[in-house]
Amino acid sequence: MRLLRHQLKWEQRLFWRSRESAVFVFLFPILLFALLTAVYNGHIDGRPASWALLAGMIGYGAANTAFAGLAITLVSRREIGILKRIRATPLPPAVYLTAVLVSIMIVFAIQVASLFALGRLLKSTPWPTHLLSLVLSLALGAAVFAALGLAITGFIRSLEGSSAVLNVIVLPAAFLTGSFGPTRHYPKVLRAIGDVLPLKYLLDLIKGIYLHGQQFWDKPLAIGVLAGWGIFGMAVALRTFRWEPREG
Amino acid sequence: MSAISVRDLRKSYGTDEALRGISFEIEEGEVFGLLGPNGAGKTTTIEILEGYRTRDGGDVEVLGFDPGRAGSAFRERIGVVLQQSQLWPNLTVAETHRMFAGYYEHPRNVDEVIVLVGLAEKRDARVKTLSGGQKRRLDLGVALVGDPDLVFLDEPTTGFDPAARRAAWDMIRSLRSLGKTILLTTHYLDEAEQLADRLAVLREGVIIREGTPAELTAGSNETEVRYRKDGQDVVVRTTEPTKLLQRLTAEALAEGRELEGLSVRRPTLEDVYLSLTAEHEK
């Protein structure tokens, strides 16, 4: 426990001190939200557009922070030898990874709070009502994306390409699943692709709770699909996660 | 008591035999050098002892632990400087030390360690602003912050300029005076000769010679005699230098000429090393 607290404190300091992570991981979804609410008017899903965009941007934030942000952090640390160096210390690997995961969840939580506050400020969006359901949904979503983030590090060979690869995954996924606006008018094929992605089901949960007053447990299908992706991510991560940089 | 005991250690990567059964012992408080050309198996050996790699065969004991299975209790007592590794660019020197100090039950005082590795003036500088040599000293500081009994240094001065190498050597000597056991790999002969109490020469996964630097050079009883005759350099290696010199000087005296550029030299470790590794190339 002492080790976990110690590492968590340093993970937070490392995150906020790095301009790259603070801007691209934390700030980017917030800026994007401000931009989109400025251009979209009218209604989405029977609610004011800004409400739906807020829900969409929280989902995108989960993918951007817990999946892409986590993967970039771990790949960069692996490739410059920090992960290997840490393994020579008494800090248990499980404690280290837990601290990294909890730290990224804290960042995501602050991001979500900032999005609600900004929505309130710019477009008078309401505060969320079913808080417990929202927290459960976001925790599940962030955990699933973190598992997938751990899994993908094994397939990224170098730091140079990592943020490009991850954006090629996250941005289209967010677009296809409706983070940036409704998908109803998309071609069938694109909607079908969107329908298998985990972000779609996280968005279902968030929109159900925030826009339509539902509860977490009202969406067993979404919970099931997300859990499936999470288990898949963990299984892959256990096989492919590496602590050491690629040789040569 | 032995700090490290290695018996018949073997390791293969696919069909490539990196270690073909090596054995050595390192006493507590000793500085032991593992010397050899690139690809000889030095890093494989040190990484097995650090617990990073598994072995295919043989017995290994480090501070009474099997590093292949040891956990936190083992890592409390070792310090590691890897051949290539960086630390967080955005933390300061002091912060980096404090972060690592938190991993150990009984860390050393962080400020003392920073002074010991000569980074006191850079205490509050961000890691990304340090020079290459300073970063290497930071690596060493971080390896020492847990107050280890045993320190692994994998090519600690590769890529250093001469002044930085001398500084690093002084630091390693000061570690020795603290009573630490040190295992050092290097492909620099002068480094091994300067620092190591004993050393093993590794080539193609086999230890081809082991002993103190003096023993290694004593093993060869040839003396090299050089002089110039008719503008030509002559080099003679002999096991009977007295006889050879008497003959040469007698001839020169009889002919009334000088033995220009005369030098008589015991082989250095470098000569021994080059002849050893050359023998094996044949």
Side-chain angles (χ1 to χ4, degrees), chain B residues 125-178:
Chain B
R126 296 273 174 104
V127 171
K128 63 184 165 196
T129 66
L130 300 181
S131 71
Q134 288 167 340
K135 282 180 180 158
R136 212 69 184 128
R137 278 190 261 165
L138 178 68
D139 282 339
L140 185 60
V142 163
L144 297 178
V145 83
D147 200 16
D149 299 321
L150 168 65
V151 183
F152 294 100
L153 303 170
D154 197 0
E155 298 191 2
T157 66
T158 297
F160 276 26
D161 64 46
R165 286 185 73 206
R166 301 259 160 205
W169 290 356
D170 285 340
M171 238 166 9
I172 293 166
R173 288 193 194 103
S174 69
L175 290 188
R176 182 169 181 274
S177 64
L178 293 173

Side-chain angles (χ1 to χ4, degrees), chain A residues 92-218:
Chain A
V95 173
Y96 179 71
L97 282 182
T98 306
V100 173
L101 292 180
V102 173
S103 174
I104 207 86
M105 299 258 187
I106 291 173
V107 171
F108 177 53
I110 299 172
Q111 188 176 57
V112 170
S114 310
L115 280 168
F116 276 120
L118 188 70
R120 181 96 194 161
L121 194 74
L122 296 178
K123 293 279 175 176
S124 309
T125 54
W127 297 113
T129 45
H130 300 310
L131 262 185
L132 175 67
S133 280
L134 186 70
V135 168
L136 285 174
S137 306
L138 297 184
L140 174 66
V144 168
F145 282 119
L148 292 169
L150 279 176
I152 202 162
T153 59
F155 300 94
I156 301 176
R157 285 157 172 262
S158 71
L159 180 57
E160 288 78 43
S162 66
S163 83
V165 170
L166 290 162
N167 270 319
V168 162
I169 298 172
V170 171
L171 275 174
F175 187 74
L176 289 175
T177 55
S179 285
F180 306 144
T183 57
R184 226 173 301 111
H185 56 281
Y186 285 8
K188 248 193 180 143
V189 189
L190 293 187
R191 268 158 54 197
I193 298 172
D195 278 348
V196 298
L197 299 175
L199 185 52
K200 153 100 163 104
Y201 297 91
L202 177 59
L203 288 171
D204 270 359
L205 277 170
I206 300 171
K207 286 179 176 171
I209 294 162
Y210 184 57
L211 303 180
H212 307 295
Q214 290 173 319
Q215 298 282 10
F216 177 65
W217 41 88
D218 291 336

Side-chain angles (χ1 to χ4, degrees), chain B residues 76-80 108 143-151 180-181:
Chain B
E76 287 282 348
R77 295 181 56 200
I78 63 167
V80 169
R108 285 189 63 148
L144 297 178
V145 83
D147 200 16
D149 299 321
L150 168 65
V151 183
K180 312 284 185 201
T181 308

Side-chain angles (χ1 to χ4, degrees), chain B residues 98-147:
Chain B
R98 287 217 305 277
M99 180 170 182
F100 274 88
Y103 300 155
Y104 297 87
E105 297 272 352
H106 307 287
R108 285 189 63 148
N109 179 291
V110 162
D111 288 315
E112 275 174 33
V113 174
I114 293 172
V115 171
L116 178 72
V117 297
L119 286 174
E121 282 167 30
K122 292 282 172 184
R123 196 181 175 285
D124 296 314
R126 296 273 174 104
V127 171
K128 63 184 165 196
T129 66
L130 300 181
S131 71
Q134 288 167 340
K135 282 180 180 158
R136 212 69 184 128
R137 278 190 261 165
L138 178 68
D139 282 339
L140 185 60
V142 163
L144 297 178
V145 83
D147 200 16

